[in-house]
Amino acid sequence: MLESTVAQYQREGRTVYRLGLGQPDFPTPDRAKAAAIQAIQDNFTGYTDTSGILPLREAICRALLRDIGLSYEPGEIVVTVGGKHALFNAICTLCRPGDEVLIPVPYWVSFPEQVKFAGAKPVFVQTGAASGYKVTPGTLAPLVNESTRLLILNQPNNPSGAVYSAEELSKLAEFCRERDLWVISDEVYSAFVFKPEGYTSIASFPGMRERTVVINAVSKSYGMTGWRIGYSAAPAAVTGAMLRLQSHTTSNPSSIAQQAALAAIDGPQDDLTEIRNEYAARRGVLVEGVRRIKGLECSVPDGAFYVWVDASAWRGQTLEGRIISTADDLADILLTKAGVAVMPGTGFGSPYHIRLSYAVSRDEMESGIKAMESLLGRK
Ligand SMILES: Cc1ncc(COP(=O)(O)O)c(C=O)c1O
């Protein structure tokens, strides 16, 4: 609904500040574009192995060793049509009808839908600003029973930006081992962590590699959302089952996009550092801007490129002649009256939050904040 209004406004030439975006604003690296063009010229346009081309799976293994310190074999990797597809393979493979799946709130929109598709039941684990929007063994324990199969842990989190420390992960890992739970670790934003200690994967703790499916993608890290390349790294038996599912559904992802992903992952990674630094700076500007605006609160996110804004103070208030019941109303008013597109939190399991993105230019971000401030007022 909001997206179609944004598109309509843009067609009409009206200014829209797009603070709702879920994709990086930097382009695909030249090395990836060149590899794709080369692949076409070389007629590298046929089917590939269902699991993806071997050089790409080998490069993914090197990246996993470099980034999360875990050693995987190419036979434990499945290259997929984006991270979303890898999640779908993993959820459909691990979940049996009637299983329960722990999903921390706020969550990325597709988790509960994929779990339901697999015939399993999403069990939501509430979090809040006080805990940094993170779960602990203490918050999970009351929700675990003999049907609990799996925890979906997404960090850096979309939408909250939460990143777990090694100590927090170690406790969660111990809990999952004790309760015999599988973990799907969605790490698609792992390139964007702003804490000096960097990113740690739950799979890297003792006894966890064998009960975790690591999911990642080139989408967010390399500005390649449209190329649709993601992957899973998981123990051989689970990988085999995911592969059979993929073989009878999508087969391999695009041969051309696989060559592009290979070049992106394997090339020098200096551009990533520059992008991370730029995002860290923009994060500061956005957080400061939000904190000036009446009725909005936020914490400083440790990762991804979102700020998760508590707008609950606007609940029940009247703005522009309308009563605000949920963040959907607030988002609608912001778009129609101030030309600011934001993402309401309802789809993320939190109807009184909005998600703002700093994957937009500083100019657009600053103008968007000003427009919000003049509509909502200053603190
Ligand atoms: C947390 C999370 N996981 C997975 C995905 C899917 O990524 P992809 O575009 O690679 O399918 C997204 C995309 O927004 C996401 O935010």
Side-chain angles (χ1 to χ4, degrees), residues 22 82-84 87 108 111 154 158 186 188-189 217 219-220 228:
K84 187 183 274 189
L87 282 162
W108 182 52
F111 296 151
N154 164 223
N158 175 10
D186 179 339
V188 302
Y189 294 96
S219 310
K220 314 285 178 177
R228 310 307 301 133

Side-chain angles (χ1 to χ4, degrees), residues 113-190:
E113 300 307 319
Q114 292 195 354
V115 166
K116 285 188 264 176
F117 180 90
K121 182 181 160 203
V123 174
F124 298 112
V125 191
Q126 297 302 327
T127 69
S131 66
Y133 299 105
K134 296 183 215 178
V135 295
T136 61
T139 49
L140 295 178
L143 300 170
V144 173
N145 59 42
E146 63 282 359
S147 301
T148 313
R149 172 80 165 155
L150 163 71
L151 165 68
I152 301 183
L153 190 70
N154 164 223
Q155 58 125 6
N157 180 272
N158 175 10
S160 75
V163 179
Y164 288 73
S165 69
E167 199 188 339
E168 290 163 338
L169 288 171
S170 159
K171 289 183 186 145
L172 283 179
E174 190 185 345
F175 181 82
C176 293
R177 283 192 308 268
E178 274 171 17
R179 304 299 178 105
D180 194 20
L181 300 180
W182 277 86
V183 177
I184 292 181
S185 181
D186 179 339
E187 312 191 352
V188 302
Y189 294 96
S190 59

Side-chain angles (χ1 to χ4, degrees), residues 63-64 66-68 154-157 163 185-194 198-201 214-217 220-221 231 272 276 302-305:
L64 287 166
R66 176 192 70 206
D67 297 340
I68 61 173
N154 164 223
Q155 58 125 6
N157 180 272
V163 179
S185 181
D186 179 339
E187 312 191 352
V188 302
Y189 294 96
S190 59
F192 306 118
V193 172
F194 311 114
Y199 181 70
T200 308
S201 170
V214 173
I215 306 288
N216 214 322
K220 314 285 178 177
S221 323
Y231 58 86
L272 259 184
R276 191 167 32 241
D302 283 323
F305 39 70

